[in-house]
Amino acid sequence: MIDGVLLHPLKQIPDERGKIMHMLKSTDPHFEKFGEIYFSCVYPGVIKGWHRHSRMTLNYAVVAGLIKMVLYDDRKGSPTHGQIQEIFLGESNYCLLKIPPMVWNGFKGAGTQMAMVANCATIPHDPQEIERVDPFTPSIPYDWDIKH
């Protein structure tokens, strides 16, 4: 795992009416603070990335569909500097992914349906604290193609 990243399994409670999908409670030991929650939807094969935040911690959970989440650590002095991490998140691997500030991240829709990603961010959206680069930038050593 990239330093500071947390992958926490989440509960799904099914019954004959449907199910409940837990995400984040203020009493969880990994909860920091609430800034805003939003949902990002992505079609299969579409890439949303790369971006990183200077102050915001991201708390992602994929409530429908499947994504390939990719993280890249270029933080100077980090014990995981230069590392890439791939995580497949979705209904079959329902987890909370906590991403600290300054870690590059992006995701690609996988599977056959649109995926819905929930983010419970620690601060409200601020365009001054986000940095974006093209998904195919040579500055991040990652190939988004399917690996057979």
Side-chain angles (χ1 to χ4, degrees):
M1 292 289 266
I2 288 178
D3 187 52
V5 171
L6 168 78
L7 190 61
H8 179 76
L10 294 173
K11 288 184 182 178
Q12 296 187 61
I13 304 169
D15 67 21
E16 64 273 6
R17 299 166 299 163
K19 66 180 172 180
I20 292 173
M21 300 171 77
H22 285 260
M23 183 175 169
L24 188 61
K25 295 183 285 196
S26 63
T27 55
D28 288 339
H30 47 271
F31 176 80
E32 286 181 45
K33 62 182 180 174
F34 176 77
E36 74 170 311
I37 190 165
Y38 67 86
F39 300 88
S40 180
C41 297
V42 62
Y43 292 113
V46 174
I47 300 166
K48 290 192 174 187
W50 296 99
H51 76 278
R52 68 178 174 184
H53 294 272
S54 61
R55 299 185 333 268
M56 180 187 291
T57 296
L58 306 170
N59 291 285
Y60 285 136
V62 179
V63 297
L66 178 69
I67 65 165
K68 176 171 66 171
M69 173 67 72
V70 184
L71 308 174
Y72 175 62
D73 186 1
D74 75 344
R75 298 171 294 173
K76 293 190 182 352
S78 169
T80 53
H81 181 267
Q83 289 187 18
I84 294 278
Q85 183 176 353
E86 285 183 339
I87 307 160
F88 285 85
L89 298 170
E91 295 168 81
S92 61
N93 187 31
Y94 186 57
C95 298
L96 180 79
L97 177 63
K98 182 176 183 176
I99 305 171
M102 299 307 293
V103 172
W104 288 103
N105 64 94
F107 55 88
K108 180 179 180 180
T112 59
Q113 65 179 9
M114 181 172 59
M116 183 183 298
V117 182
N119 179 21
C120 184
T122 57
I123 64 172
H125 175 74
D126 175 359
Q128 300 303 309
E129 69 87 48
I130 189 170
E131 183 180 354
R132 298 178 190 276
V133 297
D134 186 276
F136 303 103
T137 180
S139 65
I140 297 177
Y142 187 75
D143 179 358
W144 288 99
D145 286 342
I146 293 175
K147 288 137 185 94
H148 293 282

